[in-house]
Amino acid sequence: AQKITQTQPGMFVQEKEAVTLDCTYDTSDPSYGLFWYKQPSSGEMIFLIYQGSYDQQNATEGRYSLNFQKARKSANLVISASQLGDSAMYFCAMREGGYSSASKIIFGSGTRLSIRP
Amino acid sequence: DAGITQSPRHKVTETGTPVTLRCHQTENHRYMYWYRQDPGHGLRLIHYSYGVKDTDKGEVSDGYSVSRSKTEDFLLTLESATSSQTSVYFCAIKNSTGKLNSPLHFGNGTRLTVT
């Protein structure tokens, strides 16, 4: 069965340090995708980065990178040089199936990241 | 922002009453989703739709039904609201142009309180 696990309910990090948010997943489908979203205190959901199961390289988007370890079924988000504005809830999500699938997407329970000045 | 409107934004209702939440999109996207967000549980998928009149259950579908009679509208109905359904409900849409990396775009949420 499709499952996403985020084991860190909350984290505190000093400004300008790098931070890694953990995400593990479980699926029997060889074709899947992993997403990370940010939810600031204002409540909107902001898409950050995507990794496909067949992608050869780890995804990067600016200060965000995804440490994708397929054999370990982990897709950790790395934020380099953290900023005060990075304080938010972060959610990992997974889409099972390829182009012909119905595109069911489930989320983890989230990690609340707090950046200290 | 993707054209997604959720209504109402806030609602207080009594236990046992029916409630319908509406999600309206102007993007002509094929996929639409309803999630609920609760502290400690993240976002949990209630129902989703992959086309007009094509819907499927998510992780927490008990007590909820959905309908999609038009591409642009996805309705979530609580047949008989219970206090456990007090939550923030998010609608999301997803493009279907064949890109696997197409992300979800979310509405602003509906805060529902069942007393």
Side-chain angles (χ1 to χ4, degrees), chain B:
Chain B
D1 289 344
I4 312 170
T5 304
Q6 290 186 234
S7 58
R9 292 296 314 279
H10 302 272
K11 186 168 182 68
V12 179
T13 191
E14 292 184 349
T15 298
T17 60
V19 177
T20 296
L21 308 183
R22 181 186 184 225
C23 179
H24 177 78
Q25 60 143 332
T26 58
E27 306 295 321
N28 201 36
H29 285 352
R30 177 182 176 188
Y31 299 104
M32 299 185 76
Y33 304 77
W34 277 109
Y35 293 89
R36 59 178 290 176
Q37 183 174 15
D38 305 287
H41 293 279
L43 281 82
R44 291 181 290 177
L45 180 64
I46 305 172
H47 283 279
Y48 63 106
S49 170
Y50 43 96
V52 173
K53 297 186 180 178
D54 289 325
T55 64
D56 205 349
K57 295 179 180 180
E59 306 165 279
V60 290
S61 58
D62 287 349
Y64 301 95
S65 63
V66 289
S67 67
R68 190 164 178 205
S69 58
K70 300 184 291 184
T71 299
E72 58 266 35
D73 289 325
F74 193 31
L75 304 180
L76 177 70
T77 298
L78 291 65
E79 302 290 346
S80 178
T82 67
S83 58
S84 65
Q85 293 176 312
T86 292
S87 186
V88 178
Y89 291 85
F90 281 99
C91 174
I93 64 175
K94 180 175 173 297
N95 204 338
S96 57
T97 54
K99 292 182 179 180
L100 291 175
N101 62 350
S102 176
L104 292 173
H105 295 283
F106 285 82
N108 290 325
T110 293
R111 184 173 295 277
L112 176 68
T113 302
V114 183
T115 61

Side-chain angles (χ1 to χ4, degrees), chain A residues 2 31-33 35 50 93-97 103-105, chain B residues 100:
Chain A
Q2 194 180 8
S31 179
Y32 55 90
F35 302 82
Y50 170 85
M94 179 171 68
R95 184 213 74 243
E96 251 185 358
S103 243
K104 181 178 180 180
I105 300 175
Chain B
L100 291 175

